[in-house]
Amino acid sequence: MSACFTPGWHPAARRPRNRVGDVPFNDLLAQHRPLLPFLHRRFDEVVEGNAFVGGQWLTRFEQEWATYCGVSHAVGVANGTDAIELVLRGLGVGRGDEVIVPANTFVATVAAVVAVGASPVFVDVDPGTLLITPASVLSALSPATAADIAVHLFGQMVDVNSILSVTSPRGIAVVEDAAQAHGATRSGIRAGALGRAGTFSFYPGKNLSALGDGGAVVTNDTALAERVRMLANHGRSSRDGVHVEVGRNSRLDGLQAAFLSVKLAGLDDANERRRAIAARYRSRLADLPVQLLQIDEGGKPVHHIMAVRVHRRDRFRRRLAEDGIATSIHYPVPCHRQPAFERFSRGYLPVVERAAGGLVSLPMFPDIADDDLEKVCQVIHKVLTTRAATR
């Protein structure tokens, strides 16, 4: 991959910073501080070249991202939600169609389905990984099924090939929602390269993140890539001034593309650090009354989120907060129970609903200091092994 930074700088130069006191859930400043000279340089170059919308930096990042993901095409768009919606529109999914989605995803996945006029069909997930399975897809099939969205949750990939064994014979498109899986692989193939298309968000908290919103669609389907690009640019064809469809304005800014090129150079290094952090968590928490999510042997996750399941979640989080440790929940209310989407619910989904009541996301970011990581583990030990924790 070509470099977009000063020669002599290497991704491995990033090191976890040493800090004391409170442990944040994420720390973007620690990520950006060593990159500031390179980000400033990209800013100057974009401004001097007037490459704000489209232009060389967007083209360069799209080529780099396609190469990284192992696909033929990448199209930069405004955000990850738009990426899903544009792919569905590009595939012709619309009113009267059904799209299968796991109920334990961020609402953006479902919102994109509803935005194109289709109906989301919520399904349950595997109890060990909390990922969608071929059985859950099979149970939801109907004559109206047009697509399935395989959400790579928490940084671990769905077994897309097994999903394809169910959908391909029926002509159903599989779209990979890879917003939490930048760089994850399964059988050596990166997220986004197995389905009809993959969609990414570059929201600031993602493994590969912009300094603002951003997203991308990746695919090996040339016609689909061209259609997504056209729809994202006001429905404009390659001929100047000709708008062949009612499109929208959903373009990745040249400035964000330039920043993403800088940060892409360090993505693999950062993901390796995430794997080391996850391994440390799994080792230190193995003997405690906390349920760790299963890691599928066929994949290599990137641990976007370190989610665990505990009893008395509110008490657990409160006790960690008292020791200065920030946590989060992904996600407290499943999509089929959200007021905006309840009309699409088809009833109780036991795995998703039980998980929603006990999931906690622990601090997980590449720059967490070893001492801070140890502090988190020690506090969890204290919380889960004291009598007070069970009262």
Side-chain angles (χ1 to χ4, degrees), residues 96-100 119 121 136-147 170 172 346:
D97 291 327
E98 293 179 350
V99 178
I100 298 169
S119 297
V121 177
S136 58
V137 173
L138 190 61
S139 70
L141 292 175
S142 80
T145 305
R170 297 169 171 83
I172 297 168
R346 299 186 179 185

Side-chain angles (χ1 to χ4, degrees), residues 107 332-343:
V107 294
V333 181
C335 288
H336 69 301
R337 298 301 186 197
Q338 293 283 359
F341 306 118
E342 280 184 318
R343 68 187 187 275

Side-chain angles (χ1 to χ4, degrees), residues 46 51-66 74-80 82-83 86 200-204 208-218 228-229 232-233 248-261 264:
V46 171
F52 301 113
V53 179
Q56 63 171 326
W57 293 108
L58 175 62
T59 299
R60 181 173 187 166
F61 173 69
E62 287 179 336
Q63 293 171 346
E64 290 175 342
W65 189 236
V75 181
V77 298
N79 54 67
D82 283 3
L86 288 163
F200 291 89
S201 166
F202 301 125
Y203 180 79
L208 179 63
S209 59
L211 275 68
D213 263 325
V217 172
V218 299
V228 166
R229 192 179 299 279
N233 190 28
R248 58 186 301 177
N249 180 0
S250 180
R251 298 175 297 211
L252 179 64
D253 292 345
L255 188 61
Q256 296 298 348
F259 291 158
L260 286 164
S261 284
L264 177 56

